[in-house]
Amino acid sequence: MTSQTSVFPLSDPSPRRLQGGRVGSLEFALIFICVLSGVAGAIVISVGAAVTENLVPLVQFVALFWVWVAAGVCAWWRRPTNGIGGLLLIGGLSILLVSTGALDTPFFNVINAVFASSPLSVTVHLLLAFPSGRVRGRLSILAVILGYVTSIGFDTARALATGTDAFELLSFAQSSLGLAVMIMTAIVLVRRLLRADAAHRRILLPLFTYGALAALALPTIANVLFPLGVDPILILWLQGVLLAGIPIAFLIGVLLGGFTRTTPLEALSEWLALRGASRPAVARALATTLGDSTLRVAYWDAGANRFVDENGLEVTDVRSDPARGWLHVRVDDDLVGAIDYDARMIAEPWPVRRAAGVLAIAMDRERVTAQLLRTNEALLLSRVRIVEAADRERFRIARDLHDGLQMQLVLLAIEAQNIANLPAEASTVAPAENLRRGIDVAAADLRRLVHDVLPAALLEQGFIAATEDLVDRLPITATFHAQVEESAIATSTAHTAYFILAEALSNVVKHARASAVQVRVTQGSDRLVLEVEDDGVGGARMESGTGLRGLADRVDALRGSIDIRSDSGRGTSVRVELPCGS
């Protein structure tokens, strides 16, 4: 039976539904909008043909309406949870409402008067909301609000004031305020382009560059050409061309790789059920679902109290970056990971939260996998260090035997031979005394060598007595406190605990520059606790040498835990917990 959790190739990252090959409810809705827009535009043209002879302005507005609707349908299809598609459709509807003025009936004349400049306010809203669909920043929000007030508010006021003295004053105020709104919009767009990184600038450049120019040109054309007596039809035609360029610039940004298509959560659930989820597949599936190629998945490593990626490497928290979003993922109340996404493309966290909820179990499984990878890597490095430490210890013992004890024995043998070669009448007392002293020195060196390998006190008197002897022989002031029941401690644990203390005290003497050290050995219900605290210079780090790593390796071998606190100038505290049983 073949496994259902194999990793699929990048060229086929998901089943057909995730790739969008099956028509769903969204597609049917968008097809309906396209058909309805086509019918609405055809009706407007047909009615216009019956009431007016000049259809050119009307056809121009209907064509502009269709362009905006087409861009809106494309945007909505690619990112259903984003507001850009809806804004483009609303912009198209506003253009259609403006086109009804060509029908020259009392009702449609009122509609035209109220919504005459509404396409400009929707354009401002669209430009400032791209690409996330949400308006951000005080200046942007102010510009959008003033844009709608200037268009719909002042258009309605002008319609009510037609034929009065207030009409000209309202027209002047609307033109001035509209120009200010467009200048504010252009300033915001240029600032965003300058602040964007290279990847986002490529996406924003077509729409923002054209949008900034169009924002300045749309009111300028009317304010400059109307007083010069230019034909109003020509002015409307020029404004229509500029408005048509907005959705076209958006579509160019889409072709350049921006506004990546999202997929429905149902497709994500289906993919997960069919394929399972490998480590990189979780992030790839979320990125595909949310349309964010920069999305990263971080897994919570509770043991190390940090986030790691799928390879077990530490991930930096990006919550301080306003351009990035950071969402925690939980299974029940347990933190299993986090999602780092582009907040400029995804305005609200709820689509990310919903997608993460679908993959939460898979993320938890991959969190455990990432943690195991990190642990396995640490285990391999620990094994390498243990082998290297054993090799160094064997080399030291061999060197001591060869250069020390062996040389002493050779010299003693020569001295004994010299005594044997003395004449019978010569005195052998002095040479024999020298030989005895040499043998004593060699025996002492042998005992020291044996003690370094496994202290006799540890074998004969036990762990506490051997530790007390070790502390007494330190060249600095040392205090020792013990409260344990040795019979409850396994031999392997006792021996490991002794060598851990010996290594820790050796580090104190060699590196800490301490004047005093405290050693405490206590026992819990099933744990042996070792504590070594000095008043030295501090600053000790696990990565800075072999001593502390050697301690950690010995602790890991018995599945214990080690905590090292060593602030500069405040000494070093080492706390080790070992299981009492074997």
Side-chain angles (χ1 to χ4, degrees):
M1 182 180 294
T2 59
S3 171
Q4 292 296 318
T5 59
S6 59
V7 179
F8 38 79
L10 285 174
S11 60
D12 181 26
S14 50
R16 191 175 179 218
R17 180 69 181 274
L18 189 57
Q19 294 173 327
R22 190 181 304 170
V23 177
S25 57
L26 173 65
E27 286 79 3
F28 280 120
L30 295 179
I31 291 173
F32 175 76
I33 290 175
C34 290
V35 173
L36 183 63
S37 301
V39 172
I43 291 175
V44 170
I45 293 176
S46 299
V47 174
V51 298
T52 182
E53 296 181 357
N54 185 10
L55 284 178
V56 174
L58 186 61
V59 172
Q60 174 191 346
F61 276 111
V62 172
L64 186 58
F65 160 67
W66 281 336
V67 170
W68 276 69
V69 169
V73 168
C74 175
W76 205 337
W77 174 69
R78 293 183 73 84
R79 303 182 77 91
T81 60
N82 189 288
I84 295 298
L87 281 174
L88 284 164
L89 292 177
I90 292 174
L93 178 61
S94 68
I95 293 171
L96 184 66
L97 293 175
V98 173
S99 70
T100 59
L103 301 180
D104 198 21
T105 64
F107 173 76
F108 287 120
N109 285 339
V110 172
I111 295 296
N112 175 265
V114 172
F115 295 99
S117 58
S118 60
L120 301 181
S121 60
V122 177
T123 297
V124 170
H125 192 171
L126 173 68
L127 291 172
L128 296 180
F130 186 81
S132 68
R134 179 181 178 184
V135 180
R136 298 176 181 272
R138 294 180 180 178
L139 185 60
S140 299
I141 295 174
L142 178 62
V144 171
I145 294 175
L146 289 179
Y148 283 110
V149 171
T150 303
S151 60
I152 299 176
F154 274 84
D155 280 343
T156 303
R158 290 174 69 242
L160 295 174
T162 301
T164 67
D165 295 337
F167 182 83
E168 293 298 331
L169 180 62
L170 288 172
S171 298
F172 176 77
Q174 184 184 35
S175 299
S176 302
L177 189 57
L179 180 61
V181 169
M182 291 304 185
I183 292 174
M184 291 165 60
T185 302
I187 291 174
V188 172
L189 296 182
V190 172
R191 284 170 57 185
R192 288 185 184 178
L193 269 180
L194 295 177
R195 292 176 181 177
D197 54 46
H200 285 87
R201 189 177 294 117
R202 180 171 58 90
I203 299 171
L204 301 176
L205 187 62
L207 183 59
F208 278 16
T209 302
Y210 182 85
L213 295 176
L216 295 175
L218 283 169
T220 303
I221 288 175
N223 293 332
V224 173
L225 297 184
F226 264 125
L228 296 178
V230 177
D231 187 355
I233 299 298
L234 177 60
I235 294 175
L236 288 176
W237 185 84
L238 292 175
Q239 289 182 324
V241 171
L242 288 174
L243 285 174
I246 297 294
I248 292 174
F250 165 77
L251 293 175
I252 292 175
V254 170
L255 294 176
L256 291 177
F259 222 68
T260 308
R261 186 191 175 193
T262 62
T263 54
L265 290 181
E266 293 83 358
L268 182 63
S269 301
E270 178 182 335
W271 167 81
L272 182 62
L274 290 175
R275 295 283 191 171
S278 63
R279 292 187 302 277
V282 171
R284 191 166 68 238
L286 281 174
T288 302
T289 302
L290 298 171
D292 180 7
S293 60
T294 67
L295 183 143
R296 295 188 308 163
V297 174
Y299 304 96
W300 179 246
D301 185 351
N305 195 35
R306 63 177 184 175
F307 287 99
V308 298
D309 62 13
E310 62 267 17
N311 297 315
L313 302 177
E314 185 173 3
V315 173
T316 304
D317 191 333
V318 297
R319 276 177 284 190
S320 59
D321 186 354
R324 305 296 301 178
W326 182 265
L327 179 71
H328 284 167
V329 181
R330 299 179 183 274
V331 174
D332 296 329
D333 293 330
D334 298 328
L335 179 64
V336 299
I339 299 175
D340 167 25
Y341 62 93
D342 188 350
R344 290 169 293 190
M345 293 294 295
I346 306 173
E348 301 292 344
W350 65 266
V352 185
R353 187 178 292 111
R354 289 182 60 200
V358 175
L359 280 179
I361 302 299
M363 288 182 64
D364 189 32
R365 182 172 65 246
E366 297 314 311
R367 174 190 64 82
V368 175
T369 301
Q371 186 172 346
L372 289 175
L373 278 174
R374 183 188 64 81
T375 304
N376 184 58
E377 182 181 0
L379 178 61
L380 292 175
L381 293 175
S382 175
R383 287 178 175 176
V384 170
R385 290 195 297 269
I386 289 174
V387 170
E388 291 176 346
D391 289 341
R392 286 195 300 270
E393 189 65 15
R394 282 193 292 268
F395 176 77
R396 185 187 65 80
I397 294 173
R399 183 190 59 200
D400 289 347
L401 288 173
H402 181 273
D403 297 343
L405 188 58
Q406 176 180 279
M407 186 61 66
Q408 288 176 310
L409 293 176
V410 169
L411 293 176
L412 290 174
I414 294 173
E415 192 170 346
Q417 185 62 45
N418 290 336
I419 294 174
N421 294 335
L422 288 174
E425 65 276 6
S427 173
T428 61
V429 175
E433 183 64 23
N434 290 334
L435 179 60
R436 185 189 65 77
R437 284 195 296 268
I439 293 174
D440 290 342
V441 171
D445 289 343
L446 182 59
R447 284 193 298 271
R448 179 188 57 78
L449 187 59
V450 172
H451 180 276
D452 290 343
V453 176
L454 191 62
L458 183 61
L459 292 175
E460 298 170 0
Q461 303 175 34
F463 165 58
I464 297 302
T467 303
E468 188 173 4
D469 178 65
L470 178 66
V471 173
D472 287 341
R473 289 188 286 108
L474 290 175
I476 61 176
T477 302
T479 58
F480 176 59
H481 170 75
Q483 188 176 357
V484 298
E485 184 181 346
E486 283 199 67
S487 59
I489 303 174
T491 302
S492 59
T493 300
H495 289 181
T496 300
Y498 175 84
F499 286 112
I500 288 173
L501 290 174
E503 184 71 33
L505 292 173
S506 176
N507 288 336
V508 171
V509 173
K510 292 179 180 178
H511 309 296
R513 286 182 277 176
S515 60
V517 62
Q518 297 180 10
V519 180
R520 289 182 294 274
V521 180
T522 56
Q523 182 180 358
S525 57
D526 59 349
R527 308 288 284 182
L528 180 65
V529 181
L530 314 175
E531 295 176 279
V532 177
E533 185 174 352
D534 66 61
D535 61 353
V537 295
R541 296 290 181 269
M542 191 75 73
E543 303 83 6
S544 60
T546 60
L548 292 179
R549 284 204 304 266
L551 286 179
D553 292 339
R554 291 182 186 273
V555 172
D556 288 341
L558 289 186
R559 298 184 180 180
S561 63
I562 182 170
D563 178 39
I564 300 174
R565 299 181 182 180
S566 185
D567 297 332
S568 295
R570 297 185 179 181
T572 300
S573 173
V574 178
R575 177 185 172 90
V576 174
E577 293 189 12
L578 300 174
C580 291
S582 59

